Structures are given as structure tokens and as C-alpha cells.
Amino acid sequence: MSIDPGSPVRRTYSYLGPTGTFTEAALAQVPEAREQIWRPVRNVGEALADVVVGRSDAAMIAIENSVDGGVSTAQDALATMPGLRIVGEYLVPVNFVLVSRPGQRLEDVALVAAHPVAYAQCLNWLSENLPEHAHVPAASNVASAVGIVDGVSEADAAIAPPGILEHYDLELLAEDIGDNTSAVTRFVLVSRTVAAPAPTGADKTSLIVELPEDHPGALLELLEQFATRGINLSLLASRPIGDALGRYRFVIDADGHIQDERMADALLGLRRFSPKVIFLGSYPRADRAIVRYPERYSDDVFVEARDWLRGLISGEPEE
């Protein structure tokens, strides 16, 4: 088979499969991913490994949920797999249905298959409507239902995204079973290390920072790098480093872009303070909300202060 040398090379995107997951819905929001190759994988580690070794150009992964907070597996993978960069974020509203094999009745359900995050988000509904049920963890929100269809799962029912009914012959036992109707999952698109896109004014910077040592006020010293430069943090989560008890790294989302003077100055402060700073990327916010900050932290103020110091060092006469 010959390949037309004039045809464009298609890009490959990895995502948590199979078809019908929330991750796929997030990838559908990426304009440049349309008409490209979508590669379903089994877990976050596999998705990011695809990017590292070059099997994929980028991977879509869940990073945070408005109900359960940060996705620890994704945060830990980004902390330990070098050469990755977040290039965009996307929000997907989260809702769930309870499905089963055709003919199953809700009152006969005793064993429910669900991804652990989905299960936690439906626990109140399950406790009220199926108080004696047991939980079987599933690899993904779709895998929970596919196991029932394929007959490999012993579960009587599965928690899954509403779109599952478009792909599989399943009985709908209940819909809108999520405990929080405003639940949203935040996804990030991760590529190999590239330069950050130009600032838009509605940007976010993601970092992972280790404390230099365990002493009173260490975390405060870290946070002061942002507070003294007028930078708001939208995420601060601790994760164990794993080499000893009491040793933690911090996953941080800060409002602003690395090309903003205040953010660049904060990163310099972090670099002097911490033994390890991982820059995950500066990228446009999914909500496109303009980042607001006091005028005393504007770029012009930082530039003027630098020029003033340079003048003092060079011996220029003060005006």
C-alpha cells in the first residue's frame, strides 16, 4: 500500500477508554483532535507513557473533580514521569445512570460495579435506594457496564455515564443518580515538553513543589512565594513523596502565566526555596475567566523595580 506524500500526518491522542467515557467527552472538546487518531487506554499511567515514548502526541487525563478533589493517580504520575507538559484544560459536567442487563429489576440489585470516583459521587443515592448493596471497583466508568454486557462481571448493575445507552444494549434502572448535580471533572491535555502558549490574560500555571525540610512554617514559606506577588491559588493538594513518612510534595494551580512578571518572579522564589520544582505548564483556563490582581502586582511595577535596582548597581544618578 502506498502513502500519498502530500497527505497530512494524523496525530494520535490517548484517552481513558473504551468509547463513551467522560475522558472521551473531554477529548471531543479539543478542536485539533478532530479527525485524528484516538487511542483508548486502560489507565492514566498508560496514557502518559504513550506520550513519553512517542506512541501518542498527547493524552487527555482527569486531574480534578469538583466533589472529590484532585485525582491522585494523575498527580503522582505527573510528579514522577519527566518530559510532560500540560497544554490545555477542559471541563465536563458529570452525571450518572444505573444500568443492568435487560430484565433486571432495581430491587434485586445487590452488587454494583463502578469506578471508585463515580461510586463516591453516587453514594448517598445508593445508600438510600440500595442500602444493602456491595461495590465492585471497575477500571473506568464505561468498563463497569461493559463487564456486565460481556458477562465477565458478577455485578447486577453498573454506574456509568448516560451515553453508555447509545453504545450497548442495557436496561436503564435509574438516571441522575449523582449526589451533586453541579459536579464537574477537570481534564488536562498533556503533551511532551513544549514552550507554553502565549498568555491570554485568562491563564493557569500548574506546578509540583517539594518542601526543603520538615520544620514549622515550611508550608507558609512556600505559600508566601505566591501571596507576596498577588497570585491566587486555585488548587493546593499534598501528596506523599513515598521515600519516608511525613514527606510531601504539593500540587499547585496558580492563576496567571509564566510570562507574567509576577508569576516569573514567584517561580524564581520557588526555585531558590525548594529542592525540586516541576513546571507542568501555563495554559488557557477552561472557563476563560480573566485573572484579576491588584495594580501593584502588574508587569509594569515589576519591570520598574528591576530597572531601579539596575540603576542603583550601575551608579546612575537618581532622579
Side-chain angles (χ1 to χ4, degrees):
M1 183 181 71
S2 63
I3 298 176
D4 180 5
S7 61
V9 177
R10 299 177 73 195
R11 293 171 57 84
T12 300
Y13 293 83
S14 293
Y15 73 98
L16 182 63
T19 298
T21 60
F22 291 117
T23 312
E24 186 186 53
L27 187 55
Q29 297 182 31
V30 182
E32 59 268 29
R34 294 165 191 162
E35 308 299 327
Q36 304 302 304
I37 300 170
W38 291 15
R39 171 181 160 82
V41 298
R42 292 162 292 186
N43 54 64
V44 168
E46 184 180 359
L48 295 179
D50 280 353
V51 177
V52 171
V53 303
R55 280 190 297 266
S56 295
D57 296 282
M60 184 68 75
I61 63 171
I63 194 74
E64 182 185 6
N65 182 271
S66 61
V67 176
D68 295 294
V71 179
S72 58
T73 53
Q75 294 172 343
D76 292 345
L78 289 171
T80 55
M81 299 178 70
L84 296 172
R85 189 62 49 88
I86 297 174
V87 294
E89 73 167 355
Y90 305 87
L91 303 179
V92 176
V94 175
N95 193 11
F96 298 100
V97 295
L98 188 69
V99 296
S100 68
R101 301 177 186 87
Q104 178 77 49
R105 299 187 307 168
L106 178 62
E107 53 266 34
D108 296 329
V109 171
L111 198 58
V112 177
H115 185 276
V117 174
Y119 180 75
Q121 293 184 31
C122 300
L123 190 55
N124 289 341
W125 187 93
L126 291 167
S127 298
E128 180 177 345
N129 294 275
L130 297 170
E132 298 182 359
H133 78 279
H135 172 221
V136 178
S140 75
N141 291 313
V142 170
S144 61
V146 172
I148 290 178
V149 173
D150 295 343
V152 299
S153 173
E154 298 178 356
D156 305 308
I159 295 173
I164 194 72
L165 297 165
E166 301 173 8
H167 302 283
Y168 299 95
D169 182 22
L170 290 161
E171 183 91 10
L172 177 63
L173 298 180
E175 55 186 342
D176 296 326
I177 66 172
D179 299 329
N180 189 330
T181 57
S182 301
V184 174
T185 295
R186 174 178 163 242
F187 293 83
V188 291
L189 187 65
V190 181
S191 76
R192 288 182 288 278
T193 300
V194 293
T200 66
D203 303 294
K204 181 179 293 185
T205 294
S206 293
L207 308 159
I208 297 177
V209 183
E210 293 183 10
L211 294 180
E213 59 185 17
D214 187 16
H215 67 265
L219 179 56
L220 176 60
E221 291 175 32
L222 185 156
L223 297 178
E224 284 177 340
Q225 305 300 323
F226 300 99
T228 58
R229 295 165 176 91
I231 298 173
N232 181 61
L233 303 185
S234 57
L235 174 67
L236 177 66
S238 63
R239 295 293 306 152
I241 295 174
D243 56 358
L245 286 174
R247 290 256 297 142
Y248 288 87
R249 60 173 64 99
F250 289 85
V251 183
I252 296 170
D253 284 342
D255 290 348
H257 194 281
I258 190 173
Q259 293 186 30
D260 298 337
E261 292 285 344
R262 62 191 180 281
M263 184 66 73
D265 202 53
L267 293 182
L268 290 175
L270 286 174
R271 180 66 177 177
R272 293 190 297 266
F273 164 78
S274 171
K276 187 173 184 180
V277 179
I278 300 173
F279 173 71
L280 293 177
S282 291
Y283 47 90
R285 295 167 57 100
D287 58 12
R288 299 301 188 264
I290 299 298
V291 175
R292 307 293 181 186
Y293 52 89
E295 182 60 29
R296 66 182 180 276
Y297 298 116
S298 69
D299 282 5
D300 290 343
V301 172
F302 280 87
V303 171
E304 190 279 331
R306 254 201 329 269
D307 290 343
W308 171 79
L309 180 60
R310 190 177 299 115
L312 294 179
I313 295 172
S314 64
E316 295 177 4
E318 296 187 52
E319 298 180 359

